[in-house]
Amino acid sequence: MKKPQVQQLLLMVVLFSFMVANSQNKSKNNAPLFSNFTYQGDDQVYKDNPLKSDEFYTPILQGCYPDPAITRKGDDYYMVCSSFAMFPGVPVFHSKDLVNWTDLGGVLNDVTQFNPHDTGISAGVYAPGITYNPHNDTFYMIVTAFSGGLNNIIVKTKDPKKGWGNPIKLGFGGIDPSIFFDDNGKGYIVHNDAPDNGKERYNGHRVIKVWEYDVENDKVIPGTDKIIVDGGVDPAKNPIWIEAPHLYKKDGKYFLMCAEGGTGGNHTEVIFKSDNPKGPFIPAPGNPILTQKYFGRDRKNRVDWAGHADLVKGPEDKYYGVFLAVRPNEKNRVNTGRETFILPVDWSGEFPVFENGLVPLEPKLKMPKGVSENKTGKEGFFPNGNFTFKDDFTTTKLDYRWIGLRGPREKFITTSKKGLTINPFDINIKEVKPTSTLFYRQQHNSFSLTTTIDYKPKSDKDLAGVVALQNEGSNYVFGITMKDKDYYIVLQKNQKTRRDAAVNSTIVGSTKIDIKKSIQLQIKAKGDEYNFSYSLDGVNFVTVGGPVSGDILSTDVAGGFTGCLLGLYATSNNDASPE
């Protein structure tokens, strides 16, 4: 064969290979384009309680932002929350006044160091602590990580706005650690743990331990651990789940604040006092110092489950406490999850007490003295109350409120002037694996979510749309797929009735459609009632299979620790077959 013929043949082979690869790539990456996303809150409590110029709303972080911890350096406040299997791990916020907060993203944002790829949604990381150490001008974030063999870890930074260092494994068990630095620079870690072997007296019996901490080498000092609380405030009453400890020092005395009673309806916050950081700690006679457990379930604008708190000196050295609580809907569901609230704290006496923390909580507070303006929802500050969040996805940097599950969002998304493309994984939303779903937390009991989607599935294995998800075994999938040669909108309900059971999937409703242009998808909730709708003309919405109950999106039905997540979803492993 002559040289020109060989070259021509090689060129044909290369072109053919490219065409085949390109065809396979198009088939494999049948990616939907999302645009014009709008989330709008519509809770009645905010309509009934408009803000005056000197007021702000609590919760300060609506939606699933539980287990808050807070610290201060000068006029800068930093707060962290639990994230479980959401990615990145441990969201961190900054404020100058405790009213206006900016979202700094997640502390654990390197998947090579924190990889929750095979954990249930309520695993991952939770109950972080954050402490500023003035002796070495360093911030410490300490947390329990239930993935990758990390267990209890600590990460450090000089400036939380510029990122964090690598996780450092700590040599102890238990959960809910926090770190405290004494006036002399010495460090201590306190955490929840099981009783010593053979000494557990009842189910829910836990202890609080303290360790001395080697600040130079970032490790606990072996042999220094000591149980400082055994059971809780009154051991004779068999108290359960003493946890979330924090150490403070005031007027030469040491104070240990903990949650007690479990994270549900009996949740409380209690306080102990000692002359030494290693005890003995004596409980305050007026415990609890914060709870909502004494009040009827039918009260208006009900807030419940209050506890798991942390204290900080606020503006003009007035103490404040951040804590978790829930806002149930009319069916006592907690679809918004455990949120971050704040209250002023009176520490004029021997022990701190949350102001109005032992009466039914109100939705708004007076701003701290010296704070002149509530800028929430403006100028980049995190919103609360009833607000509208819009995103056209045309910027290269997504808002930090958009998160992944069990892995980084960057693995499956691309943005352009047209919007957001999700490259589908061969993974179903029901699998305990990273899914190609971009999530936004449900932040109101009543809300609407609308987005535009351009998508034509190639087979019945392709689906793209929106999801409302409490966990991998409790969710709704609402999307576009195929059956035979026709396009359908389908609503699938996925529910696991027992932890050890398979997920039961049912088709709630489906409709054949003619896809000629982009389609709008909508989730609309009013308390427990959810509607999933679509529009072919951008004006008239048609509900599919609804209304449906949001019960499976609540922790009291689905279990676990998270709130409902609303997602933009694509998969090449669909099993929702239209009927």
Side-chain angles (χ1 to χ4, degrees):
M1 188 178 289
K2 295 181 180 180
K3 187 174 181 181
Q5 292 176 312
V6 173
Q7 290 175 334
Q8 189 176 17
L9 180 62
L10 287 172
L11 180 60
M12 290 175 64
V13 170
V14 169
L15 286 172
F16 178 75
S17 299
F18 174 78
M19 290 171 64
V20 170
N22 192 46
S23 174
Q24 290 175 341
N25 187 55
K26 283 185 177 179
S27 175
K28 183 178 180 181
N29 296 313
N30 183 31
L33 177 72
F34 292 90
S35 58
N36 301 318
F37 175 91
T38 300
Y39 172 94
Q40 187 168 6
D42 192 35
D43 283 346
Q44 190 64 40
V45 61
Y46 298 120
K47 299 176 185 178
D48 294 341
N49 293 274
L51 291 176
K52 297 178 181 178
S53 61
D54 62 343
E55 295 176 330
F56 70 112
Y57 286 125
T58 179
I60 50 176
L61 301 181
Q62 292 166 224
C64 183
Y65 292 101
D67 307 329
I70 192 168
T71 196
R72 175 182 181 178
K73 175 188 176 183
D75 293 331
D76 293 293
Y77 301 89
Y78 294 93
M79 182 167 61
V80 291
C81 302
S82 290
S83 55
F84 307 99
M86 302 170 218
F87 197 94
V90 188
V92 57
F93 295 84
H94 170 257
S95 178
K96 287 284 190 180
D97 52 23
L98 299 180
V99 173
N100 304 298
W101 293 89
T102 53
D103 190 340
L104 301 181
V107 176
L108 301 174
N109 56 16
D110 185 343
V111 74
T112 66
Q113 297 178 347
F114 166 62
N115 189 358
H117 65 99
D118 59 354
T119 62
I121 194 173
S122 286
V125 288
Y126 56 75
I130 186 170
T131 306
Y132 173 66
N133 182 1
H135 302 282
N136 59 5
D137 189 26
T138 300
F139 291 87
Y140 293 72
M141 193 284 293
I142 185 170
V143 73
T144 308
F146 290 92
S147 60
L150 292 175
N151 297 316
N152 289 301
I153 58 172
I154 205 161
V155 293
K156 302 189 298 181
T157 184
K158 295 289 186 180
D159 185 352
K161 296 178 183 177
K162 296 181 179 179
W164 295 74
N166 299 331
I168 301 167
K169 292 185 180 182
L170 300 171
F172 62 89
I175 61 172
D176 294 12
S178 67
I179 191 165
F180 163 77
F181 299 99
D182 209 339
D183 298 336
N184 58 9
K186 192 170 183 178
Y188 299 88
I189 287 177
V190 287
H191 66 95
N192 162 300
D193 209 341
D196 291 340
N197 288 337
K199 293 188 177 181
E200 183 178 9
R201 301 194 303 273
Y202 52 88
N203 185 34
H205 177 200
R206 303 290 288 182
V207 303
I208 301 299
K209 282 187 178 178
V210 63
W211 294 78
E212 295 179 26
Y213 187 72
D214 183 343
V215 179
E216 293 297 321
N217 297 296
D218 286 312
K219 62 182 182 180
V220 293
I221 300 173
T224 62
D225 58 310
K226 181 183 179 184
I227 294 175
I228 51 177
V229 174
D230 186 356
V233 168
D234 188 350
K237 294 182 178 179
N238 290 349
I240 62 171
W241 296 111
I242 191 77
E243 57 190 357
H246 291 279
L247 269 176
Y248 312 96
K249 190 175 187 180
K250 184 175 183 289
D251 301 330
K253 304 294 183 180
Y254 298 87
F255 295 84
L256 176 71
M257 191 172 73
C258 306
E260 187 180 287
T263 58
N266 290 316
H267 206 194
T268 65
E269 196 70 15
V270 296
I271 193 88
F272 305 78
K273 181 181 176 183
S274 178
D275 293 325
N276 189 293
K278 301 190 74 172
F281 279 91
I282 308 301
N287 278 318
I289 59 173
L290 167 70
T291 190
Q292 294 290 285
K293 73 175 184 176
Y294 300 121
F295 313 116
R297 298 181 73 179
D298 59 348
R299 63 191 185 273
K300 189 177 180 181
N301 300 330
R302 177 180 160 206
V303 176
D304 214 343
W305 302 9
H308 198 118
D310 196 8
L311 303 179
V312 69
K313 272 189 178 182
E316 300 189 0
D317 285 342
K318 165 72 176 176
Y319 279 92
Y320 281 80
V322 292
F323 57 97
L324 73 81
V326 298
R327 294 178 297 140
N329 65 25
E330 80 285 356
K331 292 286 185 71
N332 293 314
R333 309 298 186 202
V334 287
N335 298 38
T336 50
R338 299 177 300 158
E339 306 173 297
T340 289
F341 289 70
I342 191 169
L343 278 179
V345 172
D346 182 353
W347 207 341
S348 59
E350 184 179 4
F351 293 98
V353 176
F354 286 75
E355 294 181 17
N356 295 320
L358 297 174
V359 298
L361 293 175
E362 297 290 336
K364 59 182 184 177
L365 299 170
K366 293 289 185 182
M367 290 198 294
K369 288 184 179 180
V371 181
S372 59
E373 188 174 359
N374 184 342
K375 297 181 180 180
T376 53
K378 306 172 186 175
E379 302 177 22
F381 289 105
F382 201 81
N384 60 10
N386 280 335
F387 58 83
T388 299
F389 171 68
K390 293 185 177 183
D391 204 333
D392 58 11
F393 305 114
T394 57
T395 58
T396 55
K397 185 179 179 181
L398 278 183
D399 192 287
Y400 286 130
R401 283 170 282 182
W402 290 112
I403 54 173
L405 181 60
R406 303 187 191 93
R409 61 192 190 181
E410 290 76 15
K411 288 288 186 180
F412 56 85
I413 65 168
T414 53
T415 57
S416 68
K417 291 182 179 179
K418 294 182 178 180
L420 173 88
T421 299
I422 294 184
N423 298 294
F425 292 162
D426 187 23
I427 294 170
N428 193 282
I429 199 75
K430 294 176 285 187
E431 298 182 72
V432 185
K433 297 178 181 178
T435 69
S436 43
T437 317
L438 189 65
F439 284 107
Y440 181 94
R441 294 166 174 86
Q442 179 180 332
Q443 296 179 292
H444 300 81
N445 281 312
S446 296
F447 71 91
S448 64
L449 177 159
T450 308
T451 191
T452 301
I453 182 172
D454 287 275
Y455 181 63
K456 287 187 177 180
K458 302 293 185 183
S459 76
D460 60 354
K461 288 295 183 182
D462 292 337
L463 180 142
V466 293
V467 298
L469 178 140
Q470 214 292 322
N471 60 45
E472 51 275 1
S474 296
N475 55 77
Y476 288 103
V477 174
F478 184 58
I480 304 167
T481 188
M482 285 192 80
K483 184 177 182 181
D484 300 324
K485 294 183 179 180
D486 295 315
Y487 298 117
Y488 282 82
I489 295 275
V490 62
L491 176 62
Q492 182 186 50
K493 178 182 180 180
N494 300 309
Q495 183 175 17
K496 182 183 286 190
T497 55
R498 299 191 323 271
R499 181 177 294 181
D500 58 345
V503 178
N504 180 34
S505 298
T506 57
I507 301 301
V508 180
S510 61
T511 302
K512 186 162 65 173
I513 58 171
D514 183 14
I515 300 179
K516 294 181 178 178
K517 56 181 181 178
S518 59
I519 297 172
Q520 285 188 302
L521 301 179
Q522 184 179 81
I523 305 174
K524 201 166 187 177
K526 186 170 180 60
D528 187 62
E529 183 178 285
Y530 284 65
N531 284 281
F532 295 81
S533 308
Y534 72 95
S535 175
L536 298 179
D537 60 10
V539 177
N540 301 296
F541 280 85
V542 179
T543 299
V544 177
V548 296
S549 172
D551 57 353
I552 66 168
L553 306 177
S554 170
T555 54
D556 65 320
V557 173
F561 304 118
T562 61
C564 177
L565 302 179
L566 307 168
L568 309 180
Y569 171 56
T571 181
S572 58
N573 189 24
N574 172 54
D575 66 349
S577 179
E579 295 180 341

